[in-house]
Amino acid sequence: MIDGGEAIRRLALNVARYTGLAPLARPFVGGIGAILMLHRVTATPEKPDSVNRHLNIAPSFLDAVIADMKADGYAFVPMDEAVERIKAGGKGGRFATITADDAYRDNMIEALPVLEKHGAPITIYVAPGLIDGTADLWWDVAEDIVNACDRLTLATTNGPAVIDCATRARKTQAIARLHAYLATEVREEDLRTVLRDLAKSNGVDADAPRLRTLMNWDEIHTVAAHPLVTIGAHTINHSNLKRLSEADARHEIGAVKDKLRAELGREPRHFAYPYGYASAVGCREVGFARDAGYVSAVTTRHGVLRAEHAGFLHALPRISINGRYQSLAHIRTMLSGVTTPLANAGKMVVTV
């Protein structure tokens, strides 16, 4: 998935790192803790050169990050305890909690052994539609579509748009164009139909990416029983809530509780907004998550936790541990808190 704030975050990170500002600023902006965000954790990604490779880190890097943070005094706690520590203003020392979006199979196979080594809990946010097949890993399917053809035609409001996919460089550009088309030009309600029509016409199996990389319900049952694992909600169909009507958005946020309770015998207490950036979650969506009764809700907004977040438990920021930043120096810089205001227009606490 393409995050529109990535360029700003990268600039902020490099400015802070290379000016030596991070360690000097930490006592003032370091906050009380952090929520780490993962997606995939595998040493052997199926497509090492994928445009989506930023969603993956190696298990060895996760091991190094946790060890480094523990050596720096962080206590790794489950999400329930993280919320209580936020409410208490961080009393008890710096803390961290680990989250992972989408329920990738490698979270269980390759990440969990690392977490067991360190006794580090994790919250895995599940979108049942991705597991059942009523929703698609469209960002992976889009890449498969472009890789399967030399030319792609999109039905835009201005008429047919032909995209050249003939070379590697053109394919990279085409994937970005297709991502933008699906995420912003196609109605959210129509995304699945449009995606699957493109996949079928180009000989691509739209189910393959999710079947290959996501857990099935049996595996989710197994991982949910692990003492280090909490299962959270990620909407029914991994929808961009801001692009839905109020009724549909409330359904995506609320009905997922019923679905997960029916599957796992326990109602999820914690929620993650799909995509999680400004064009996917705002005041309206935060209110819906609060109304649905979740204890917490996390965004993908960059930032460390501060005591003030006790008043904004349904708009919590996270620190992305991803393939672009597999460097302990980068992680230390982000955890220092110095990149939080740099990435958020000067704000230490972003409420939506």
Side-chain angles (χ1 to χ4, degrees):
M1 290 174 291
I2 295 175
D3 180 345
E6 181 57 39
I8 295 174
R9 184 158 52 246
R10 181 181 289 274
L11 176 62
L13 179 61
N14 287 331
V15 167
R17 180 184 175 191
Y18 294 115
T19 61
L21 182 61
L24 297 175
R26 180 173 178 174
F28 306 101
V29 297
I32 60 176
I35 302 173
L36 308 186
M37 176 177 66
L38 310 175
H39 283 84
R40 299 201 60 186
V41 181
T42 179
T44 56
E46 297 82 7
K47 295 184 287 186
D49 297 324
S50 166
V51 298
N52 296 311
R53 61 187 179 275
H54 64 283
L55 294 176
N56 179 72
I57 63 167
S60 59
F61 184 63
L62 177 62
D63 185 15
V65 168
I66 297 174
D68 193 64
M69 291 179 67
K70 287 172 69 176
D72 197 33
Y74 283 89
F76 281 83
V77 301
M79 183 60 80
D80 279 335
E81 184 175 337
V83 169
E84 293 307 311
R85 286 182 176 236
I86 294 170
K87 291 178 178 178
K91 292 180 181 178
R94 284 196 304 275
F95 66 94
T97 191
I98 300 172
T99 64
D101 293 3
D102 304 334
Y104 287 98
R105 183 174 289 111
D106 51 53
N107 292 175
M108 177 177 67
I109 296 173
E110 298 185 65
L112 193 54
V114 175
L115 302 178
E116 289 173 331
K117 172 183 174 181
H118 293 284
I122 187 170
T123 298
I124 299 175
Y125 296 107
V126 177
L130 290 177
I131 310 305
D132 294 335
T134 60
D136 299 306
L137 283 175
W138 65 263
W139 49 95
D140 281 334
V141 179
E143 182 173 7
D144 288 346
I145 291 170
V146 171
N147 286 337
C149 65
D150 290 332
R151 188 175 70 173
L152 185 65
T153 302
L154 305 181
T156 74
T157 55
N158 296 320
V162 179
I163 304 175
D164 183 357
C165 311
T167 66
R168 179 180 291 272
R170 292 290 188 184
K171 286 185 184 297
T172 299
Q173 296 171 0
I175 292 168
R177 176 68 182 94
L178 182 54
H179 273 224
Y181 172 73
L182 294 169
T184 63
E185 298 176 43
V186 174
R187 292 196 323 147
E188 191 73 10
E189 299 88 339
D190 298 332
L191 190 153
R192 178 174 168 84
T193 299
V194 171
L195 178 77
R196 287 190 162 249
D197 285 347
L198 287 171
K200 183 178 180 180
S201 64
N202 287 283
V204 169
D205 182 357
D207 289 310
R210 66 174 189 81
L211 292 173
R212 182 174 62 246
T213 62
L214 296 182
M215 290 187 242
N216 58 39
W217 283 116
D218 287 341
E219 291 166 321
I220 291 174
H221 275 273
T222 297
V223 79
H226 195 285
L228 289 176
V229 176
T230 296
I231 299 297
H234 204 30
T235 72
I236 291 287
N237 292 304
H238 201 282
S239 300
N240 182 325
L241 297 168
K242 213 169 186 178
R243 302 182 72 217
L244 297 179
S245 68
E246 176 176 345
D248 287 346
R250 285 189 182 275
H251 176 76
E252 284 285 323
I253 293 172
V256 66
K257 298 178 77 171
D258 299 330
K259 177 66 174 178
L260 289 175
R261 181 175 60 245
E263 285 287 349
L264 303 174
R266 181 178 302 177
E267 188 172 276
R269 290 164 49 82
H270 305 281
F271 180 79
Y273 304 98
Y275 314 108
Y277 37 72
S279 59
V281 53
C283 292
R284 187 190 75 149
E285 292 70 37
V286 168
F288 295 167
R290 187 185 301 113
D291 292 346
Y294 291 103
V295 173
S296 77
V298 295
T299 70
T300 59
R301 291 292 189 96
H302 175 77
V304 295
L305 296 170
R306 298 182 64 82
E308 296 94 318
H309 281 110
F312 305 102
L313 293 174
H314 297 86
L316 296 174
R318 291 190 281 179
I319 299 293
S320 179
I321 310 297
N322 64 59
R324 293 191 179 102
Y325 307 126
Q326 290 194 79
S327 157
L328 288 180
H330 279 127
I331 304 304
R332 290 169 185 158
T333 299
M334 290 190 281
L335 290 171
S336 75
V338 70
T339 54
T340 298
L342 292 173
N344 294 298
K347 296 178 181 179
M348 285 302 302
V349 177
V350 180
T351 58
V352 290

